[in-house]
Amino acid sequence: TMQGELHTEKIKRLQEELKTKKYKAMVVAMLDEVAWLFNLRGSDIDFNPGKLDVHSRVFVSKTRAQCSLVMPS
């Protein structure tokens, strides 16, 4: 991984790997992996109490990536 790599480049690289391995899609569910993939940092959140309870899922296919973050009530 290159420092300063754009999230679009990371997704494109992941999509190329999916094609190489002949996978249709994958789900990224661990919050730290979602944060890495989209370059999200704690300072990106206006109020970050230190422990953020968020459920995250990213669906990545050969042609698209969709992220959903859900704050449990």
Side-chain angles (χ1 to χ4, degrees):
T1 303
M2 300 175 61
Q3 184 176 2
E5 186 177 15
L6 297 173
H7 73 281
T8 53
E9 294 168 349
K10 291 178 185 179
I11 291 169
K12 186 182 295 183
R13 196 160 40 92
L14 183 55
Q15 289 171 324
E16 288 300 320
E17 190 69 20
L18 289 173
K19 290 176 189 174
T20 299
K21 295 190 183 233
K22 297 183 174 125
Y23 295 155
K24 292 181 180 179
M26 71 173 288
V27 174
V28 180
M30 291 181 59
L31 184 57
D32 59 333
E33 293 176 353
V34 172
W36 173 83
L37 186 61
F38 284 93
N39 293 330
L40 301 173
R41 306 291 176 257
S43 60
D44 294 334
I45 301 169
D46 289 336
F47 175 72
N48 184 355
K51 182 180 178 191
L52 191 59
D53 186 18
V54 175
H55 299 282
S56 60
R57 299 287 181 273
V58 177
F59 173 81
V60 182
S61 72
K62 298 175 195 174
T63 58
R64 70 184 186 122
Q66 181 177 350
C67 178
S68 74
L69 301 172
V70 178
M71 302 283 289
S73 50

